[in-house]
C-alpha cells in the first residue's frame, strides 16, 4: 500500500516506508507491478478521489505491535481471516488480485 509520497520518492520506496512506519515491519517488494484501485469518499463536504497502489511484499523483520498511531491494530493473519474483515469493496478486490499473483 502506498500513502503519501515525498517529493521525488518512487512509489515502491513510499510503499516500503509506509509499511515500516504504519505497520511496524520491514518488507521487500516481490512483485514490482502494483494492484491499483480507485475510490471516492466525502470528507468535510468535499468529494475526495483516491488512488491506492498495493504491492505484494514479503516480511523481512520487525513486529507489527510497533505500528504507529494511525493504525488501530496491525497483525499477520491467515488469508480466510483477511477476507472476512475487509469491509471496503476496493480492498477486497485488491486482495483477490494480489492472491492471483501468488
Amino acid at each position: 500500500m502506498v500513502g503519501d509520497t515525498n517529493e521525488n520518492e518512487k512509489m515502491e520506496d513510499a510503499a516500503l516506508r509506509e509499511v515500516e512506519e504504519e505497520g511496524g515491519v520491514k518488507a521487500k517488494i516481490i512483485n514490482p507491478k502494483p494492484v491499483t484501485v480507485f475510490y471516492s469518499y466525502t470528507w468535510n463536504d468535499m468529494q475526495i478521489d483516491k488512488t491506492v497502489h498495493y504491492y505484494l511484499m514479503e516480511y523481512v523483520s520487525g513486529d507489527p505491535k510497533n505500528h504507529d498511531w494511525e493504525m488501530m491494530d496491525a497483525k499477520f493473519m491467515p488469508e480466510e481471516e483477511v477476507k472476512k474483515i475487509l469491509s471496503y469493496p476496493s480492498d477486497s478486490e485488491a486482495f483477490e488480485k494480489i492472491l492471483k499473483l501468488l
Side-chain angles (χ1 to χ4, degrees), residues 1-13:
M1 177 173 84
V2 175
D4 295 328
T5 58
N6 296 329
E7 189 176 327
N8 299 322
E9 184 178 33
K10 294 185 340 186
M11 283 193 328
E12 297 90 340
D13 295 335

Side-chain angles (χ1 to χ4, degrees), residues 16-27:
L16 293 168
R17 177 181 51 77
E18 291 283 335
V19 165
E20 185 171 2
E21 288 175 2
E22 296 182 10
V25 298
K26 287 184 186 251

Side-chain angles (χ1 to χ4, degrees), residues 83-97:
K83 289 178 180 180
K84 289 178 186 176
I85 66 165
L86 291 174
S87 55
Y88 295 105
S90 60
D91 292 337
S92 295
E93 273 180 49
F95 188 67
E96 290 298 328
K97 287 178 183 178

Side-chain angles (χ1 to χ4, degrees), residues 49-60:
D49 295 320
K50 186 137 184 174
T51 302
V52 180
H53 306 280
Y54 293 91
Y55 287 91
L56 180 58
M57 297 183 186
E58 181 179 327
Y59 169 82
V60 173

Side-chain angles (χ1 to χ4, degrees), residues 24-92:
V25 298
K26 287 184 186 251
K28 67 179 180 179
I29 293 174
I30 59 174
N31 187 323
K33 186 175 180 188
V35 169
T36 303
V37 296
F38 308 94
Y39 64 93
S40 298
Y41 63 95
T42 303
W43 185 71
N44 287 341
D45 296 326
M46 290 179 23
Q47 181 172 333
I48 308 294
D49 295 320
K50 186 137 184 174
T51 302
V52 180
H53 306 280
Y54 293 91
Y55 287 91
L56 180 58
M57 297 183 186
E58 181 179 327
Y59 169 82
V60 173
S61 65
D63 188 334
K65 292 178 186 169
N66 295 328
H67 64 84
D68 77 0
W69 61 271
E70 292 183 61
M71 299 292 118
M72 184 184 325
D73 192 16
K75 61 184 175 181
F76 294 105
M77 62 180 64
E79 174 185 328
E80 292 308 314
E81 191 174 338
V82 172
K83 289 178 180 180
K84 289 178 186 176
I85 66 165
L86 291 174
S87 55
Y88 295 105
S90 60
D91 292 337
S92 295

